[in-house]
């Protein structure tokens, strides 16, 4: 298990070594499937933000994110960062703000979301948009 906040700031390295591709800025989430979908990183000559599909990730450790050598950037999906997002139930009841999320680094599966009002299990996630993370009510 790893936390999103542990991954932010890690260098992204090609699998066989070499210069870093950039630094992780965030992890994009597909809330409906309960998985990490992309790794957002900033780097390169112009410090532009790019994204890599989760499938390009080979390993995540405490010191770096390793990706396959043929990892090519994906088109930038809409930016819906999980961290800092409001949490609302499907009925519109506020459930705090996202502080962190735990995930399985081998599969990208979300294990839990930690909010200012407690833990939300991954099976309660419904969707993530510009306004909020929507979860099933208690």
């Amino acid at each position: 298990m790893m936390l999103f906040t542990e991954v932010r700031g890690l260098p992204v390295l090609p699998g066989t070594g070499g210069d870093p591709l950039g630094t992780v800025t965030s992890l994009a989430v597909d809330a409906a499937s309960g998985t990490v979908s992309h790794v957002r990183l900033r780097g390169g000559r112009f410090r532009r933000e790019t994204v890599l599909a989760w499938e390009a990730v080979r390993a995540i450790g405490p010191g770096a994110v390793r990706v396959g050598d043929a990892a090519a950037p994906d088109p930038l999906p809409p930016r819906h960062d999980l961290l800092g997002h409001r949490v609302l139930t499907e009925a519109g009841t506020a459930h705090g703000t996202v502080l962190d999320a735990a995930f399985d680094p081998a599969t990208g599966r979300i294990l839990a979301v930690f909010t200012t009002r407690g833990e939300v299990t991954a099976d309660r996630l419904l969707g993530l948009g510009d306004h909020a993370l929507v979860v099933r009510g208690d």
Side-chain angles (χ1 to χ4, degrees):
M1 175 184 88
M2 285 192 81
L3 298 174
F4 277 37
T5 54
E6 294 175 319
V7 177
R8 196 172 21 190
L10 289 179
V12 178
L13 305 172
T16 57
D19 293 333
L21 302 174
T23 302
V24 176
T25 57
S26 65
L27 298 175
V29 172
D30 177 3
S33 69
T35 60
V36 175
S37 62
H38 292 83
V39 176
R40 285 185 176 271
L41 59 131
R42 184 170 302 282
R45 184 172 169 195
F46 299 108
R47 306 277 306 150
R48 283 192 276 215
E49 185 172 74
T50 58
V51 296
L52 297 174
W54 179 257
E55 292 76 26
V57 174
R58 298 294 172 248
I60 297 180
V65 174
R66 293 253 178 216
V67 297
D69 290 327
D74 273 3
L76 285 174
R79 185 172 190 93
H80 298 302
D81 287 339
L82 186 60
L83 301 182
H85 244 73
R86 273 182 85 184
V87 181
L88 298 173
T89 66
E90 58 202 338
T93 305
H95 191 68
T97 304
V98 177
L99 298 173
D100 213 338
F103 72 103
D104 180 338
T107 64
R109 189 171 62 87
I110 305 296
L111 304 173
V113 175
F114 305 106
T115 75
T116 53
R117 296 182 75 192
E119 182 178 331
V120 176
T121 57
D123 62 332
R124 291 180 51 204
L125 303 181
L126 293 175
L128 176 64
D130 290 333
H131 182 66
L133 171 66
V134 180
V135 299
R136 284 185 186 84
D138 294 327

